[in-house]
């Protein structure tokens, strides 16, 4: 496996990286690996995920209000005769 060293990393970037790693419950090194792996993923794969996320967000959107999920009206249950 290869190893790389990143020199002159801004303290603010390091701190944000540490916070991001903690939020994903992994080490900073593991977080950097995940970020780099995602950054060089197959072309189009990241775009496909973004498009999927956009479609999921658009479900139920009403007149631009992104915070409201509108569910279709429920119909009354059908009467079933068990005789």
């Amino acid at each position: 496996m290869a190893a790389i060293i990143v020199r002159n990393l801004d303290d603010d970037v390091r701190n944000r990286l540490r916070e991001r790693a903690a939020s994903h419950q992994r080490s900073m090194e593991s977080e950097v690996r995940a970020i780099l792996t995602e950054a060089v993923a197959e072309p189009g794969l990241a775009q496909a995920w973004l498009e999927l996320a956009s479609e999921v967000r658009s479900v139920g959107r009403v007149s631009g209000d992104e915070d409201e999920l509108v569910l279709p009206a429920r119909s009354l249950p059908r009467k079933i005769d068990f005789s």
Side-chain angles (χ1 to χ4, degrees):
M1 278 209 171
I4 62 172
I5 296 173
V6 179
R7 299 184 197 285
N8 301 320
L9 188 62
D10 187 80
D11 287 341
D12 186 47
V13 173
R14 180 183 47 93
N15 292 337
R16 285 184 285 148
L17 180 59
R18 181 184 300 142
E19 290 171 4
R20 179 175 166 155
S23 73
H24 292 134
Q25 298 179 347
R26 52 186 170 204
S27 68
M28 286 178 53
E29 183 178 342
S30 178
E31 186 68 20
V32 169
R33 273 196 301 272
I35 292 168
L36 291 173
T37 301
E38 183 180 326
V40 297
E42 268 186 56
L45 184 60
Q47 183 61 33
W49 279 108
L50 290 174
E51 289 172 9
L52 175 62
S54 177
E55 287 198 31
V56 168
R57 280 193 304 269
S58 70
V59 172
R61 190 175 293 169
V62 175
S63 56
D65 186 359
E66 297 180 18
D67 294 332
E68 182 177 351
L69 176 63
V70 177
L71 300 175
R74 296 179 113 182
S75 60
L76 294 174
R78 291 182 283 179
K79 300 220 179 213
I80 300 173
D81 186 11
F82 291 104
S83 54

